[in-house]
Amino acid sequence: MQTIGEILAILAVIVGTAFSITGVLGLVRLPDVYTRLHATGKVGVFGVVLLLIAAMLITPLSVGKGLVLIGLLLIGGPVTAHALASAAYRLGLPLKRAVRDDLAGRNDARS
């Protein structure tokens, strides 16, 4: 049974690392702050969650602590990305190739 746990942990490390690398590539390659936040806010969080799952399978980290950390990451990651994107929009950072801007007509959007 321990061998199955180790195999699952290795798979979680590989997939989590792939997610994290994809997030870093998105951070480097994407054109503006909003799409970069999308890459790092979504993909990076799932990469870290998979690495935490691997840590729970390999190390004596209790499942309760691991699940609390995963829950906090899943709640805090998107909220942080949204707060950063909102701050970037209020500062007036431009959108590259924007199809539409739903906040452009609001008076309090950039104040």
Side-chain angles (χ1 to χ4, degrees):
M1 205 54 155
Q2 186 171 352
T3 306
I4 295 173
E6 290 174 354
I7 291 172
L8 289 175
I10 290 170
L11 286 174
V13 166
I14 291 170
V15 174
T17 303
F19 268 102
S20 297
I21 289 172
T22 304
V24 169
L25 287 175
L27 180 67
V28 172
R29 299 277 303 169
L30 293 173
D32 62 354
V33 68
Y34 308 103
T35 54
R36 288 176 185 166
L37 279 170
H38 180 72
T40 57
K42 305 263 187 281
V43 177
V45 168
F46 288 124
V48 174
V49 165
L50 285 169
L51 292 175
L52 261 173
I53 289 172
M56 286 189 318
L57 291 171
I58 291 277
T59 64
L61 177 71
S62 71
V63 176
K65 288 180 186 177
L67 290 177
V68 167
L69 288 172
I70 288 171
L72 290 173
L73 276 170
L74 289 176
I75 291 170
V79 171
T80 304
H82 176 76
L84 288 171
S86 178
Y89 188 79
R90 288 173 191 253
L91 286 174
L93 294 176
L95 290 91
K96 300 282 183 178
R97 298 184 300 259
V99 175
R100 72 179 197 198
D101 185 2
D102 290 337
L103 297 176
R106 298 189 55 170
N107 292 335
D108 62 339
R110 292 192 184 220
S111 59

